[in-house]
Amino acid sequence: MLKEGYAAVTSRKVAREANVTSQLVHYYFSTMDALFLALWGRFVTANMERQARALNSPDPLGAIWNFTSHVAGTALELEFIALAHHRKTIRKEIARAGDRFRKMQIEALSPFMDDYGFGRDKGFADVLTVLLTSASRSLIMEKDLGVSVGHSRTSDYIEKWIKRLSAVRRHNCAKKRPRKQAGA
Amino acid sequence: MLKEGYAAVTSRKVAREANVTSQLVHYYFSTMDALFLALWGRFVTANMERQARALNSPDPLGAIWNFTSHVAGTALELEFIALAHHRKTIRKEIARAGDRFRKMQIEALSPFMDDYGFGRDKGFADVLTVLLTSASRSLIMEKDLGVSVGHSRTSDYIEKWIKRLSAVRRHNCAKKRPRKQAGA
DNA sequence: GTCTATATAATGATAGAC
DNA sequence: GTCTATCATTATATAGAC
């Protein structure tokens, strides 16, 4: 799917890859849509866990950026989105997962908005998650395509910006609750 | 292409739409790739002109946002990107156009960076164009898909932010060169 | 330029033997 | 559960008549 696109995923090729016949593929997956949905299910489960682990961090903003910048995951997601564009049953599942992912990110980020210096405007967590996801998604998509104008400056800028916010957070947290261990 | 995806664009369907035979389509376009490239060429030409007109504005930042938020254009671009993902000859053309579009935006924006209050950091024009394009692209892609969490807050935020910068620019320009006409 | 006819190859899916 | 055989469909593309 990543190499040749979803259109190249045929029952015959899947069968060859698994060293079985194409008919056996149909035995397990009644239709190709069923096969794609099964694959998507695996992908979502694995990614939800991976994201949950990543977001369980004192710096969820950096975690979101790192997570959404994962090339293989985003490329596969984009391929599924392309597939979803003309298959109703698949589109529904992809959209559902997209909502879940974003809600998870927002929930993880919201409690930290004050620490990051954004005051108590929790609605801004929505904006940050959408913008970060959009940026990494586009950077990966364009790099894959061969477009690169402005890329290094943009990712540099975002990463510096996140580091600065991270420092703000650490500063605020140190003030709020003095550290228990007085290390060197 | 917009309705059913590039995979549904076959010589037969194109022919039916044009009330001719599929063989005649092949007479004009030797391969399907040639047909897609011809369509892409039209799309690029029309959009370059449209963008040139839009960017010829005292507020190029707002122009970029408005332009890249154009739904039909972005949806078609995304479909071409999906197509490009597994067709080398097409990918090359899409990437080339992507670079040209971005360079045009950066060139239009750079001279105004000082007016917008970003000082003389012209490199930041790259960052702004990439971020704005990414955001609008993702918003359109997700809306199309049925994902909407955080969308209204994000576009509201971006639009307010652009309006604020626009006001800064007007303020700075008024200071720089006092207006010639003293209207009421 | 537009057509009919056709070559060739791939696809999703089913039937039925073992 | 895994196979062989096969159907029906669709696709890109070409040859040649008019």
Side-chain angles (χ1 to χ4, degrees), chain B residues 10-12 23 31-32:
Chain B
T10 66
S11 51
R12 281 173 167 79
Q23 293 86 342
T31 66
M32 286 308 284

Side-chain angles (χ1 to χ4, degrees), chain B residues 105-119:
Chain B
Q105 290 176 350
I106 293 173
E107 271 171 34
L109 187 55
S110 293
F112 291 82
M113 291 306 282
D114 201 21
D115 292 343
Y116 279 124
F118 293 116

Side-chain angles (χ1 to χ4, degrees), chain B residues 4 15 31 56 62 77 84 109 128 136 153 160:
Chain B
E4 303 178 64
T31 66
N56 185 20
E77 187 207 354
L109 187 55
L128 287 180
S136 64
R153 275 186 176 140
K160 272 179 197 157

